[in-house]
Amino acid sequence: MRVALRRIAIGVLITVYGVCLAADVLAPAGYATQFRDSPGAPPSRAFPLGTDELGRDLLSRLLYGTRLSLVLAPAAALLATLLAAGAGSLAGYAGGWLGAGVLRVADLFMSLPWLFLLLTVRATLPLNTRPEDSVLITFLLLGLLGWAAPACVVAAAAGTLRGSEFALHARASGVSNARFILVQVLPNLKPVLLAQFWIAVPVFILSEANLGLLGLGVGEPLPSWGNLLRGLESLHALQTNPWLAAPAALLLIVVACFHLVVPLEDYSK
Amino acid sequence: MQVTRSLVKRALRMLLSIVSVVLLGGLIAAGIMQLAPGFGVDARELDPRLNRDSVEAIRAARSREGNPLGFYFRYLHRIAHGDFGVSQSLGRPVAELLAERVPATVRTVTGGVLCGWSAGLGLALLACLVRTGVLDAVSGTLSAFFLCIPSSVLALFLVFLSPPERRVSTSVTLAIALVVFPRIYRFSRGILGQVLLMPHLLAARARGLPSGRVLFLHALPAAAPAILALGGVSLSVALSASIPIEAICDWPGIGQLAWQASLERDLPLLLILTLLITVVVVTANSMASLVGELTPGGAAK
């Protein structure tokens, strides 16, 4: 059952990725193009999901926004995973004071209320920050702040490799520590790193969505799931235009698919 | 005597760890702020009603703050003397704002964490006890559903769906509980599932020991340290979720204050809020691990 769901989830993710990467071809209009005579228009042949209050085609914005979130969230997760791989394998394999030191720093990062930290850094961005820069900074911060928890998991896994027989053989044959970490430890940590990557992606997507809904995420006119969700803020608008919930529905489906890709037992690590 | 001495030693070590993590955490926060491109820029400089002298005065006040590290150490010095500073955006002492807002957040976060834990752990225990595919599927789907919704959207729907007579605090507490619940459920279910597969528990079940007895007397104590360690994490999750939830529900707590301070670029207020939350999270994490060590499962390790 779980395997079947996993296959379906991978299929859905591939489809969503395929569609949003082809946004330039599939989108009926540009994400910032305004149709001033049709603000808040209901779905029609010209606007399949209607338009927002500024007359921008919602389907186009959804496609471009999905592309942005689905490309940058995995990029941030990759950054966090790479940092975790470096720090975790060093801590786990080296052990001793160096390992303890790295784990202390990871503990320190995990103790920081990172959403508060993110708000603080967002607050110090200049008012004239370009939307493209704001989106990169948002996801870069997510990647830089998200390495600590995966690093602890990687360190635990690397620690078990340290005591294994092949590590003993390698040390006995004079393999250097750096070479052993790069050639032996990291490839053996691939399943752990992959699981941590898949766990981080939905976390970053949801963080961006929360920040966007609060007006602290990706700057307009660039669309992202976060600022598209702001269409939900008015109950009246939602009751008259239920298609405004389309970004929320797509977000729910995609995040669920990311969670399904990770085996359940990886959550208890 | 030996046990008391060991406990005192552990408590002192914990206290030292809390102080050092808070100080270093604040330093990291200040360091990251220094790297932000707009550090030192004041939105008031763009106010067209201010003349050149006023803008210069604002710039001079900013430059007096110096770099964020200097600002951080001066700020720590002031805090040590009981002066939490004045909020730039609200023009009120930070201590006064905290006294107003902290009780509101404490009430909702405590309620939310307790409800989330009760639901998550209760459902995980029930799933392990009953061991039917249907219950596992239903509880798994339910937890996955709430795990996939951003906390702000959850808060928004709770506000929409709440009857007018329901108090805002109930919606905030419920939203926090729904954020905490899936994490507790999935982690507890995973850990309990692994513990129940341990050879001595498989043997106990094979010998006909009742499932409830195996679960509550053997599996739960063994899993307790790991599950209790989630106590600090769940508080951290709840406090982070309180920012969007309080902002959406218009609940006058710490989360809403942090959001307002962020929009108004009120750095002193944000720094003190970050430090305050760090203290709470570190203390909760330390307490959780200490309690975990004191459980039979933790003591056995």
Side-chain angles (χ1 to χ4, degrees):
Chain A
M1 176 73 173
R2 178 87 194 172
V3 176
L5 279 175
R6 206 173 165 200
R7 281 188 190 145
I8 292 170
I10 291 171
V12 171
L13 284 179
I14 289 171
T15 310
V16 173
Y17 262 99
V19 170
C20 73
L21 287 176
D24 291 329
V25 181
L26 296 175
Y31 62 79
T33 310
Q34 280 181 263
F35 298 92
R36 291 201 186 94
D37 47 347
S38 324
S44 62
R45 191 171 287 180
F47 309 112
L49 283 179
T51 61
D52 64 8
E53 73 278 9
L54 295 175
R56 296 175 298 191
D57 179 47
L58 274 175
L59 177 65
S60 305
R61 289 185 64 72
L62 182 60
L63 288 175
Y64 281 107
T66 304
R67 181 166 78 177
L68 192 131
S69 297
L70 284 188
V71 170
L72 289 180
L78 184 67
L79 175 66
T81 311
L82 287 176
L83 289 173
S89 53
L90 185 70
Y93 182 69
W97 63 268
L98 185 61
V102 173
L103 287 179
R104 279 270 162 236
V105 176
D107 279 346
L108 185 65
F109 265 82
M110 283 198 291
S111 306
L112 285 174
W114 63 271
L115 197 54
F116 279 79
L117 206 57
L118 212 57
L119 287 187
T120 310
V121 179
R122 290 285 295 144
T124 56
L125 289 183
L127 291 174
N128 58 353
T129 304
R130 293 186 313 140
E132 293 83 3
D133 294 340
S134 79
V135 68
L136 284 178
I137 290 168
T138 302
F139 282 101
L140 187 68
L141 279 170
L142 287 172
L144 287 175
L145 295 173
W147 67 275
C152 292
V153 179
V154 175
T160 56
L161 290 178
R162 187 177 168 224
S164 60
E165 277 189 23
F166 77 91
L168 197 66
H169 282 295
R171 272 203 297 271
S173 17
V175 175
S176 70
N177 281 339
R179 187 178 158 78
F180 183 72
I181 288 178
L182 282 174
V183 179
Q184 302 293 340
V185 176
L186 283 176
N188 274 295
L189 290 176
K190 211 164 83 181
V192 179
L193 292 173
L194 266 178
Q196 293 307 309
F197 171 79
W198 287 113
I199 288 171
V201 175
V203 172
F204 292 164
I205 289 175
L206 292 177
S207 301
E208 190 281 320
N210 276 326
L211 284 174
L213 195 56
L214 294 177
L216 293 162
V218 176
E220 287 276 3
L222 265 182
S224 75
W225 274 340
N227 56 32
L228 288 172
L229 288 176
R230 298 189 87 174
L232 296 173
E233 279 178 336
S234 159
L235 179 61
H236 176 69
L238 195 61
Q239 278 170 341
T240 49
N241 307 329
W243 60 89
L244 285 173
L250 187 61
L251 172 80
L252 187 76
I253 292 168
V254 169
V255 173
C257 289
F258 273 113
H259 280 300
L260 282 171
V261 169
V262 187
L264 191 62
E265 56 269 22
D266 284 326
Y267 283 97
S268 55
K269 280 179 180 168
Chain B
M1 188 68 182
Q2 186 96 25
V3 176
T4 318
R5 196 180 294 167
S6 148
L7 265 178
V8 169
K9 204 185 272 183
R10 208 178 300 166
L12 279 175
R13 205 183 303 154
M14 195 174 93
L15 195 67
L16 196 70
S17 159
I18 290 172
V19 172
S20 57
V21 164
V22 169
L23 291 178
L24 281 171
L27 197 64
I28 288 176
I32 291 177
M33 269 182 240
Q34 191 181 29
L35 294 174
F39 181 78
V41 178
D42 196 314
R44 287 175 296 171
E45 290 176 27
L46 299 175
D47 190 339
R49 293 167 300 170
L50 298 180
N51 62 18
R52 183 182 290 270
D53 291 343
S54 305
V55 172
E56 285 303 323
I58 291 170
R59 284 187 188 149
R62 279 272 169 183
S63 63
R64 273 198 300 276
E65 282 178 0
N67 63 45
L69 299 180
F71 163 73
Y72 173 63
F73 284 118
R74 274 198 300 280
Y75 206 66
L76 280 183
H77 182 257
R78 282 193 349 230
I79 288 173
H81 289 83
D83 176 13
F84 286 76
V86 176
S87 158
Q88 284 172 359
S89 56
L90 300 169
R92 293 177 56 196
V94 174
E96 200 179 292
L97 288 169
L98 291 179
E100 260 177 34
R101 305 273 186 145
V102 168
T105 298
V106 167
R107 208 164 65 228
T108 50
V109 166
T110 309
V113 168
L114 287 177
C115 291
W117 265 86
S118 309
L121 190 58
L123 205 56
L125 287 170
L126 190 68
C128 290
L129 194 64
V130 179
R131 297 167 71 84
T132 60
V134 178
L135 185 65
D136 249 348
V138 170
S139 51
T141 309
L142 200 65
S143 72
F145 177 73
F146 288 116
L147 204 62
C148 297
I149 305 182
S151 43
S152 49
V153 176
L154 202 58
L156 212 54
F157 280 115
L158 282 174
V159 169
F160 290 160
L161 296 173
S162 67
E165 65 275 11
R166 189 201 281 168
R167 291 189 307 181
V168 180
S169 63
T170 313
S171 296
V172 176
T173 307
L174 193 58
I176 292 174
L178 291 176
V179 170
V180 172
F181 152 72
R183 287 155 178 89
I184 302 296
Y185 169 76
R186 287 173 90 92
F187 187 81
S188 313
R189 180 72 186 89
I191 287 287
L192 284 169
Q194 282 174 15
V195 170
L196 282 169
L197 290 178
M198 284 163 80
H200 69 285
L201 294 184
L202 285 176
R205 278 218 303 271
R207 282 170 177 258
L209 217 65
S211 301
R213 203 178 153 87
V214 172
L215 180 65
F216 290 106
L217 291 185
H218 300 282
L220 194 56
I227 293 175
L228 284 174
L230 207 60
V233 179
S234 64
L235 189 64
S236 171
V237 166
L239 284 168
S240 289
S242 73
I243 300 176
I245 291 171
E246 286 183 0
I248 299 282
C249 296
D250 197 20
W251 178 248
I254 290 292
Q256 192 198 45
L257 188 64
W259 175 61
Q260 286 168 344
S262 181
L263 288 177
E264 298 292 334
R265 308 157 74 84
D266 193 342
L267 199 60
L269 185 54
L270 275 170
L271 194 57
I272 196 77
L273 288 176
T274 307
L275 281 176
L276 178 74
I277 301 299
T278 308
V279 171
V280 174
V281 171
V282 175
T283 309
N285 276 333
S286 305
M287 294 297 287
S289 58
L290 192 66
V291 171
E293 281 175 32
L294 293 175
T295 59
K301 280 183 183 173

